[in-house]
Amino acid sequence: MRRGLSVAGLGALENEAELIRLAGKHGFRTVDVNAHWLIGQFGTEKARALLAENGVEIGSIGLPVDWRTTEETFLDGMKILGEHAAAARALGCTRCCTYILPSTDYPSAHFMAVATRRLRACAQLLGVYGIRFGLEFVGPHHLRTRWSNPFIWTMEETLDWIGAIGEGNVGLLLDAYHWHTNGLKAADIEALRPEQIVHVHLNDAPDVPVEQALDNARLYPGEGVIDLTGFLRALRKIGYDGPVAQEILTQEPPTGTPEALARHSQACFDQVFGAAGF
Amino acid sequence: MRRGLSVAGLGALENEAELIRLAGKHGFRTVDVNAHWLIGQFGTEKARALLAENGVEIGSIGLPVDWRTTEETFLDGMKILGEHAAAARALGCTRCCTYILPSTDYPSAHFMAVATRRLRACAQLLGVYGIRFGLEFVGPHHLRTRWSNPFIWTMEETLDWIGAIGEGNVGLLLDAYHWHTNGLKAADIEALRPEQIVHVHLNDAPDVPVEQALDNARLYPGEGVIDLTGFLRALRKIGYDGPVAQEILTQEPPTGTPEALARHSQACFDQVFGAAGF
Amino acid sequence: MRRGLSVAGLGALENEAELIRLAGKHGFRTVDVNAHWLIGQFGTEKARALLAENGVEIGSIGLPVDWRTTEETFLDGMKILGEHAAAARALGCTRCCTYILPSTDYPSAHFMAVATRRLRACAQLLGVYGIRFGLEFVGPHHLRTRWSNPFIWTMEETLDWIGAIGEGNVGLLLDAYHWHTNGLKAADIEALRPEQIVHVHLNDAPDVPVEQALDNARLYPGEGVIDLTGFLRALRKIGYDGPVAQEILTQEPPTGTPEALARHSQACFDQVFGAAGF
Amino acid sequence: MRRGLSVAGLGALENEAELIRLAGKHGFRTVDVNAHWLIGQFGTEKARALLAENGVEIGSIGLPVDWRTTEETFLDGMKILGEHAAAARALGCTRCCTYILPSTDYPSAHFMAVATRRLRACAQLLGVYGIRFGLEFVGPHHLRTRWSNPFIWTMEETLDWIGAIGEGNVGLLLDAYHWHTNGLKAADIEALRPEQIVHVHLNDAPDVPVEQALDNARLYPGEGVIDLTGFLRALRKIGYDGPVAQEILTQEPPTGTPEALARHSQACFDQVFGAAGF
C-alpha cells in the first residue's frame, strides 16, 4: 500500500502542482490529480518530471464525465474522456474513479439501467488506455433520502452493479468513511480479492451514532472512531498494494496553510499506519 | 407479418402438438411453443415434420430461466438454457421472449443491476444459437403497485434497459395490451426500427378507463377498444415482418373447445387484419 | 435507398463544402464527409444549414482511427474519436466506416486478435453517440498478396469478424467493386438482413478477368461490367434504405472539373438506377 | 500455491476418483478432474465428501466444448457447458481451461475471428457460474507447422487474444513446458499480475535444444532442464496463490502403478518446491 494525498483536506492549495510538492515533501507516494490539466499546464515531459522529482505517482484521476443527469451532459463528457485517459496513461496513472450517490430524483430502476450503460461506456474507453475504473459507494445515511428515490449504497450492491456493468477493469473505490457508515467490518474486506479494489480513501468519523455521521463531517485519520487498524490490516491481508489516499470532506475548509495541513496529514498517517503495524 | 397463435386463448389444449395442428388448420403461420418439449416428445425429425405438415413455424420459445428471484434459481435455469436454445435452433426458431413485471419486492435499483447481468447472460447464450431475445414491457396500472417497489413498464424504459444489457440480439416484445395501457400511439411504433421488435402479441382490452384495464381481462382481437388498426399499420409501415401472435390472458379459462376457440381466433384475426387493409 | 457522393470521383474539389453543394445540385441526397472538419470550419449551426440548404445529409464519416499499425497510433486516434462521433451526431450522421486490407505484414492470427480489440473499442465509442460502424471488405485479388500474410477479404469472413467484435452496431460496408471481385451474386445480398448493411459504395469495373481487376482502376457506375442492376435490386429487395454512395478510386485523378464530374456522376446514377427500375 | 495432480502422468488410473485418493494420500491439494462426471457418478453430496475426505479441491475442469472445428460441433458443446459449469460450482471449483494449438488448417485470420467469438461465449457462460477461464499457449516448435497455417503460441499473443475476447474472467494457463519452449524467463512471469494467471502446469523437458522439445516428451518436475526454481519463485513473487498441477504428456504411458507414479510425483514436487525454497 502506498500513502496518498488528494486536495480534500489540504485547504487553499494554489493548484495541483502544489499538492504534488507537498505530497512528496511529507512522505506521500501518490496524489489524486487531474492528469489532463497537468499536461495542459506543463506539457507531458515537465509534468512527468514534476511527479518524478517529488517522488510521487498519480494514484487516480477523477472521471471527467457527468453520468448522473441528462444524456447530452453525458455525451459532452464522453467527448473528452479519451483525452483525459490518454493524459493519465502518459503520466503513468492506471486508475480513474467516480462516486455513487445513494439516492436520485430519477426513478430508481430506470436510472440504474441508464447509468449502467453510461458507466460501461466510460469503463470501455478507460480500458482502451489501460486504466481501471473505481466505483465509490457512499454510506452516510442522510444521503439515502436526500433525493426522492433510493439508489444503492452498500458494498454488496456495488459489487453486483460492477457485475452488471460487466467490464473486467471495473472495481471498488473503498472509502473508510463509507465502510464505517455502512457498518462493514474487516471481514467484509477480507472477503474481497485484491483486484476488486481499484482505489482506497482514508479518513475518520466523529464519535456520533453511525446513522448520524454526515458525509461532510470527516476527520483526519486517527482523529475519530473508525477502526482504521482493522481497515488497513484487512487490506494488507488480502494483498491490496495500491494507493490509500486521504480524502477529508468538511463543511468549512480546514484551517491552516496547505503546508501545515500536509504536515498534519503526514502525522495522522504515521499514527494509523503505525498502529496497524506497518 | 405472420399471424401466430399461443396457448393463451385456446382453452384446454391437450398439449402443444394440438396447438400446432389447430394453428395450421385455421390459417396461422406461427406458434409459440416449447421447442425443447417438442423434440423430447417427438424427436427432432418428427417435430420438424409436425410443423411442416401443418404449415407453421415456431414464432418464439419462452425463456426457461427464472431471472426474477434468487441467484440459485437463476443458475438452475441457465443450466438448461443451452439445450432449449439448441432445440429452438434445430426447429428453425429464432426468437425467445420473457416479460418484465412492473414492480418488485426487491429494492428497485439493485434488482435492476442484478437483472441486467442475468438477462445479458441469457441474451449471450441465446445469441450463440442465433436466437434473438425479446423483452415484454407490461403496462397494466394495477401491477405497478402490486409489489413493494416500482420497476419499469414503459417502452422507453425498456429500450433503455436493452441498451444497458448491451447485446445486439435483444429487442422488444410489443404487446398490444401493454401498448394500450401505456397510452402509446402509432407514432411510438413508427419511431422504431423494425429490428428493434423481436416479437408481437395481439389481443384487445375492455372498454374501461386505461388505468383500470386488468392484465388478465384481455379480449380477442377486435372485440375491445384497442386501436389495432393503428397498431398493425404502424408495424407494417416500419417494415416489421415477424410473427404477430395472439395472447389472451383471462381470469377464467375461455369457454369452448380448442377447436372452436381457434376458429374464433381466426375470425378475429381476419377482422382486424382486414380492417387494417391487409 | 438514397443516392450519395463521396470525394472519390469528383476530382480536384476545393474542400468538402464544395462536395456538399455539388451533391445537392446534381440530385444526390447524401455526402460522405468529415463532420468534425465541417463543424470546425463553419460551426455547428452553419454546417447544419449548409447541408439543409443543399438538401443533403451526411451518409457516413470515415473512421479517424488508424487501427492497422502500432498501439500508440491506435491510441492517438482513439483520443479524437469521441469528438468526431459527437460532430457526426450533431450533424445528424449515424454511420462511420473503415476498410479492411486483405493482407498484412503482421502475423495473421495475432493481428486479427489485436484488430478485433481495437475495432470493438471503436464500435463501442461510436455506439455511445448512436453511430453504426461499417466494415468494408476489399476484394481485388492483387491486394491479397500485397503484404506478407493473408488477412480476410470475403463477405462471409467479414460477417464472422463482426460476430467476433460482438457489438450490435457493427455491420458491412458493401462496395459493388468488392462484391464483384469476390465473385458474389445477388443471392449473397439477398441472404442478408437490411440492418447488417451499414453503408453501400457504388462504382464499376473494367472488362477484365475478375482476378485482374485493380483496386484503383474503377469506373463510374454503368461504364463497366458489374451487374449493378442485380446489385441494386437485391439491396431493395431486402429492404436496405440507406445511402448508396459513389466511390471511384483511380490511379490518376479523373479529368474534368468537379462540376463536370458531378454532372457525369448524376447521369451514371440515373442510368443504373433507371435500369434497375427505380 | 497449492500442489496439484492431473491424470497426465499417473498411468492407468481406474477413474478420477482414484486420482482424488492418490492426490490426497501423496500431499497434493488439488486435482484436475471432470466435476460433471464426479457428480454423475456419486451425486453432489458424496462427490463433495470424496474431495473433503481426501483433503483436496478441484483445481480446474477441462472445457467440454470443442471450439476448433465446425460450428455444429461447437454448438453441441455449448449445450452442455452450463451443466459442467454448474457441476464445477457445486464442487467449489472456480477454474476451467483449454489449450491453443499453434497451427491450424483453417485460414489463420478467419479462424482467429471465429475462435474469438466462440471462446467469448464459453467465457461468458463460465462467468455466470463464477468460473474463470484459462487459455494455455502451447510452445513446442514442431506443432507450429503441424497444420497448414500458423496460429498463435506466445504468451504475448495469448494476452492480446485475451484482450480481444474481452471478458474479465479470462486469463492464462501457464505451463512450464510452454514457458520453456517459448524461451521465456522469470522476468516474463514477473511482468504479470497474479489475477492474469488462472492455472499453472508443472512438468519438465529433456536436455535437447529447445526447438526440438516435443510436446509429448515431457518429464516429471526436476528430472529435466527447465528452470523450475525460477518459474516457481517468479509465481510466488507476483503473489500467485492458485494450483500448480502436474501434467506429464508422453508418447507411451508411464510405467508403474498409479500409486507408484503418485509417490514419484510427490517426490518430484518435494524436490522442486524445496529447491525454490518453499
Side-chain angles (χ1 to χ4, degrees), chain C residues 207-239:
Chain C
D207 188 7
V208 295
V210 155
E211 297 73 19
Q212 293 170 28
L214 299 176
D215 194 48
N216 60 0
R218 304 192 195 183
L219 306 176
Y220 289 82
E223 301 192 331
V225 299
I226 300 183
D227 173 21
L228 293 179
T229 294
F231 182 78
L232 290 172
R233 283 186 178 162
L235 285 168
R236 189 171 63 173
K237 183 171 176 182
I238 64 169

Short mmCIF file of all heavy atoms in Angstrom, two decimals, chain C residues 207-239:
data_model
loop_
_atom_site.label_atom_id
_atom_site.label_comp_id
_atom_site.label_asym_id
_atom_site.label_seq_id
_atom_site.Cartn_x
_atom_site.Cartn_y
_atom_site.Cartn_z
N ASP C 207 -13.67 -4.34 -68.09
CA ASP C 207 -13.95 -5.66 -68.65
C ASP C 207 -12.67 -6.48 -68.72
O ASP C 207 -12.10 -6.70 -69.79
CB ASP C 207 -14.57 -5.49 -70.05
CG ASP C 207 -15.06 -6.83 -70.59
OD1 ASP C 207 -15.03 -7.82 -69.83
OD2 ASP C 207 -15.47 -6.86 -71.76
N VAL C 208 -12.21 -6.87 -67.55
CA VAL C 208 -11.01 -7.74 -67.45
C VAL C 208 -11.43 -8.93 -66.58
O VAL C 208 -12.44 -8.87 -65.87
CB VAL C 208 -9.83 -6.99 -66.78
CG1 VAL C 208 -9.37 -5.83 -67.63
CG2 VAL C 208 -10.20 -6.53 -65.37
N PRO C 209 -10.67 -10.03 -66.65
CA PRO C 209 -10.97 -11.13 -65.73
C PRO C 209 -10.99 -10.62 -64.30
O PRO C 209 -10.17 -9.77 -63.93
CB PRO C 209 -9.83 -12.11 -65.96
CG PRO C 209 -9.35 -11.82 -67.34
CD PRO C 209 -9.55 -10.34 -67.54
N VAL C 210 -11.92 -11.13 -63.54
CA VAL C 210 -12.11 -10.63 -62.19
C VAL C 210 -10.82 -10.62 -61.39
O VAL C 210 -10.55 -9.71 -60.60
CB VAL C 210 -13.20 -11.48 -61.46
CG1 VAL C 210 -13.02 -11.44 -59.96
CG2 VAL C 210 -14.58 -11.00 -61.84
N GLU C 211 -9.97 -11.62 -61.62
CA GLU C 211 -8.72 -11.73 -60.89
C GLU C 211 -7.78 -10.57 -61.19
O GLU C 211 -6.83 -10.33 -60.44
CB GLU C 211 -8.01 -13.04 -61.24
CG GLU C 211 -8.77 -14.29 -60.86
CD GLU C 211 -9.97 -14.55 -61.78
OE1 GLU C 211 -9.98 -13.98 -62.90
OE2 GLU C 211 -10.89 -15.26 -61.35
N GLN C 212 -8.01 -9.87 -62.31
CA GLN C 212 -7.09 -8.81 -62.70
C GLN C 212 -7.63 -7.41 -62.42
O GLN C 212 -6.94 -6.42 -62.70
CB GLN C 212 -6.76 -8.95 -64.19
CG GLN C 212 -5.96 -10.22 -64.48
CD GLN C 212 -5.84 -10.49 -65.98
OE1 GLN C 212 -5.87 -9.56 -66.78
NE2 GLN C 212 -5.71 -11.76 -66.34
N ALA C 213 -8.81 -7.33 -61.89
CA ALA C 213 -9.39 -6.00 -61.60
C ALA C 213 -8.61 -5.34 -60.47
O ALA C 213 -8.55 -5.86 -59.35
CB ALA C 213 -10.86 -6.14 -61.24
N LEU C 214 -8.02 -4.19 -60.78
CA LEU C 214 -7.20 -3.49 -59.78
C LEU C 214 -8.07 -2.60 -58.91
O LEU C 214 -9.06 -2.02 -59.39
CB LEU C 214 -6.15 -2.64 -60.48
CG LEU C 214 -5.15 -3.43 -61.35
CD1 LEU C 214 -4.21 -2.47 -62.06
CD2 LEU C 214 -4.35 -4.42 -60.47
N ASP C 215 -7.65 -2.46 -57.66
CA ASP C 215 -8.46 -1.68 -56.73
C ASP C 215 -8.61 -0.23 -57.18
O ASP C 215 -9.65 0.39 -56.94
CB ASP C 215 -7.79 -1.72 -55.34
CG ASP C 215 -8.73 -1.23 -54.26
OD1 ASP C 215 -9.90 -1.68 -54.24
OD2 ASP C 215 -8.31 -0.40 -53.44
N ASN C 216 -7.61 0.29 -57.83
CA ASN C 216 -7.66 1.69 -58.23
C ASN C 216 -7.85 1.86 -59.74
O ASN C 216 -7.30 2.77 -60.35
CB ASN C 216 -6.41 2.42 -57.75
CG ASN C 216 -5.16 1.80 -58.34
OD1 ASN C 216 -5.22 0.84 -59.10
ND2 ASN C 216 -4.02 2.37 -57.98
N ALA C 217 -8.64 0.97 -60.30
CA ALA C 217 -8.96 1.08 -61.73
C ALA C 217 -10.48 1.09 -61.89
O ALA C 217 -11.02 0.48 -62.80
CB ALA C 217 -8.34 -0.09 -62.49
N ARG C 218 -11.12 1.81 -61.02
CA ARG C 218 -12.58 1.74 -61.00
C ARG C 218 -13.21 2.72 -62.01
O ARG C 218 -12.63 3.74 -62.35
CB ARG C 218 -13.10 2.07 -59.59
CG ARG C 218 -12.48 1.15 -58.54
CD ARG C 218 -13.20 1.27 -57.23
NE ARG C 218 -12.40 0.68 -56.15
CZ ARG C 218 -12.82 0.59 -54.89
NH1 ARG C 218 -14.01 1.07 -54.56
NH2 ARG C 218 -12.04 0.05 -53.98
N LEU C 219 -14.39 2.36 -62.42
CA LEU C 219 -15.14 3.17 -63.38
C LEU C 219 -16.40 3.72 -62.72
O LEU C 219 -16.82 3.25 -61.67
CB LEU C 219 -15.52 2.29 -64.58
CG LEU C 219 -14.37 1.55 -65.26
CD1 LEU C 219 -14.90 0.64 -66.37
CD2 LEU C 219 -13.35 2.55 -65.83
N TYR C 220 -16.98 4.70 -63.40
CA TYR C 220 -18.25 5.25 -62.93
C TYR C 220 -19.36 4.22 -63.14
O TYR C 220 -19.26 3.37 -64.04
CB TYR C 220 -18.57 6.56 -63.66
CG TYR C 220 -17.64 7.68 -63.24
CD1 TYR C 220 -16.37 7.79 -63.78
CD2 TYR C 220 -18.04 8.59 -62.26
CE1 TYR C 220 -15.50 8.80 -63.37
CE2 TYR C 220 -17.19 9.60 -61.85
CZ TYR C 220 -15.91 9.69 -62.40
OH TYR C 220 -15.04 10.67 -61.97
N PRO C 221 -20.39 4.25 -62.31
CA PRO C 221 -21.46 3.24 -62.39
C PRO C 221 -22.07 3.18 -63.79
O PRO C 221 -22.45 4.21 -64.35
CB PRO C 221 -22.50 3.74 -61.37
CG PRO C 221 -21.76 4.63 -60.44
CD PRO C 221 -20.65 5.24 -61.24
N GLY C 222 -22.12 1.97 -64.33
CA GLY C 222 -22.73 1.80 -65.64
C GLY C 222 -21.72 1.77 -66.77
O GLY C 222 -22.03 1.38 -67.89
N GLU C 223 -20.48 2.17 -66.49
CA GLU C 223 -19.46 2.20 -67.55
C GLU C 223 -18.64 0.92 -67.59
O GLU C 223 -17.69 0.82 -68.36
CB GLU C 223 -18.55 3.40 -67.33
CG GLU C 223 -19.33 4.71 -67.35
CD GLU C 223 -18.42 5.93 -67.42
OE1 GLU C 223 -17.28 5.86 -66.93
OE2 GLU C 223 -18.87 6.95 -68.00
N GLY C 224 -18.98 -0.04 -66.74
CA GLY C 224 -18.18 -1.26 -66.70
C GLY C 224 -19.05 -2.49 -66.77
O GLY C 224 -20.16 -2.46 -67.33
N VAL C 225 -18.55 -3.56 -66.16
CA VAL C 225 -19.18 -4.86 -66.36
C VAL C 225 -19.91 -5.40 -65.13
O VAL C 225 -20.45 -6.50 -65.16
CB VAL C 225 -18.13 -5.91 -66.80
CG1 VAL C 225 -17.48 -5.48 -68.12
CG2 VAL C 225 -17.06 -6.11 -65.71
N ILE C 226 -19.88 -4.65 -64.03
CA ILE C 226 -20.54 -5.16 -62.83
C ILE C 226 -22.05 -5.18 -63.04
O ILE C 226 -22.61 -4.26 -63.64
CB ILE C 226 -20.18 -4.30 -61.59
CG1 ILE C 226 -18.66 -4.32 -61.36
CG2 ILE C 226 -20.90 -4.84 -60.35
CD1 ILE C 226 -18.20 -3.56 -60.13
N ASP C 227 -22.69 -6.22 -62.55
CA ASP C 227 -24.16 -6.35 -62.66
C ASP C 227 -24.82 -5.44 -61.63
O ASP C 227 -25.34 -5.89 -60.60
CB ASP C 227 -24.56 -7.81 -62.44
CG ASP C 227 -26.07 -7.97 -62.39
OD1 ASP C 227 -26.80 -7.09 -62.89
OD2 ASP C 227 -26.53 -8.99 -61.81
N LEU C 228 -24.78 -4.14 -61.90
CA LEU C 228 -25.30 -3.18 -60.91
C LEU C 228 -26.82 -3.26 -60.80
O LEU C 228 -27.39 -2.92 -59.76
CB LEU C 228 -24.84 -1.77 -61.24
CG LEU C 228 -23.32 -1.56 -61.10
CD1 LEU C 228 -22.94 -0.14 -61.48
CD2 LEU C 228 -22.85 -1.88 -59.68
N THR C 229 -27.46 -3.71 -61.84
CA THR C 229 -28.91 -3.92 -61.74
C THR C 229 -29.22 -4.98 -60.69
O THR C 229 -30.06 -4.78 -59.81
CB THR C 229 -29.48 -4.34 -63.11
OG1 THR C 229 -29.32 -3.26 -64.01
CG2 THR C 229 -30.94 -4.73 -63.00
N GLY C 230 -28.50 -6.09 -60.77
CA GLY C 230 -28.70 -7.15 -59.78
C GLY C 230 -28.32 -6.68 -58.38
O GLY C 230 -28.99 -7.00 -57.39
N PHE C 231 -27.26 -5.90 -58.32
CA PHE C 231 -26.77 -5.38 -57.04
C PHE C 231 -27.83 -4.49 -56.38
O PHE C 231 -28.22 -4.70 -55.23
CB PHE C 231 -25.48 -4.59 -57.33
CG PHE C 231 -24.79 -4.00 -56.14
CD1 PHE C 231 -23.99 -4.80 -55.32
CD2 PHE C 231 -24.86 -2.64 -55.86
CE1 PHE C 231 -23.31 -4.24 -54.23
CE2 PHE C 231 -24.17 -2.07 -54.78
CZ PHE C 231 -23.40 -2.89 -53.97
N LEU C 232 -28.34 -3.53 -57.13
CA LEU C 232 -29.30 -2.58 -56.57
C LEU C 232 -30.65 -3.24 -56.27
O LEU C 232 -31.28 -2.96 -55.26
CB LEU C 232 -29.49 -1.40 -57.53
CG LEU C 232 -28.28 -0.47 -57.65
CD1 LEU C 232 -28.51 0.55 -58.77
CD2 LEU C 232 -28.03 0.27 -56.33
N ARG C 233 -31.07 -4.13 -57.18
CA ARG C 233 -32.36 -4.80 -56.93
C ARG C 233 -32.31 -5.67 -55.68
O ARG C 233 -33.28 -5.73 -54.92
CB ARG C 233 -32.75 -5.65 -58.14
CG ARG C 233 -33.28 -4.80 -59.28
CD ARG C 233 -33.80 -5.67 -60.40
NE ARG C 233 -34.36 -4.84 -61.47
CZ ARG C 233 -34.57 -5.28 -62.71
NH1 ARG C 233 -34.26 -6.54 -63.04
NH2 ARG C 233 -35.07 -4.46 -63.62
N ALA C 234 -31.18 -6.33 -55.47
CA ALA C 234 -31.05 -7.18 -54.28
C ALA C 234 -31.10 -6.32 -53.02
O ALA C 234 -31.73 -6.69 -52.01
CB ALA C 234 -29.76 -7.98 -54.33
N LEU C 235 -30.46 -5.17 -53.07
CA LEU C 235 -30.49 -4.27 -51.91
C LEU C 235 -31.92 -3.81 -51.63
O LEU C 235 -32.35 -3.76 -50.47
CB LEU C 235 -29.59 -3.06 -52.17
CG LEU C 235 -28.09 -3.35 -52.07
CD1 LEU C 235 -27.29 -2.16 -52.61
CD2 LEU C 235 -27.70 -3.62 -50.61
N ARG C 236 -32.63 -3.46 -52.70
CA ARG C 236 -34.00 -3.01 -52.48
C ARG C 236 -34.88 -4.15 -51.98
O ARG C 236 -35.73 -3.97 -51.11
CB ARG C 236 -34.59 -2.41 -53.75
CG ARG C 236 -35.93 -1.74 -53.47
CD ARG C 236 -36.44 -0.94 -54.63
NE ARG C 236 -36.69 -1.80 -55.78
CZ ARG C 236 -37.28 -1.36 -56.90
NH1 ARG C 236 -37.64 -0.09 -57.00
NH2 ARG C 236 -37.47 -2.16 -57.91
N LYS C 237 -34.64 -5.32 -52.53
CA LYS C 237 -35.47 -6.47 -52.18
C LYS C 237 -35.42 -6.77 -50.67
O LYS C 237 -36.43 -7.10 -50.05
CB LYS C 237 -35.01 -7.70 -52.96
CG LYS C 237 -35.86 -8.92 -52.72
CD LYS C 237 -35.49 -10.04 -53.67
CE LYS C 237 -36.28 -11.30 -53.38
NZ LYS C 237 -35.88 -12.41 -54.27
N ILE C 238 -34.24 -6.66 -50.09
CA ILE C 238 -34.15 -6.97 -48.66
C ILE C 238 -34.56 -5.79 -47.79
O ILE C 238 -34.64 -5.91 -46.58
CB ILE C 238 -32.74 -7.44 -48.26
CG1 ILE C 238 -31.70 -6.35 -48.45
CG2 ILE C 238 -32.34 -8.71 -49.02
CD1 ILE C 238 -30.35 -6.66 -47.82
N GLY C 239 -34.81 -4.65 -48.41
CA GLY C 239 -35.29 -3.52 -47.64
C GLY C 239 -34.21 -2.56 -47.18
O GLY C 239 -34.44 -1.74 -46.29
#
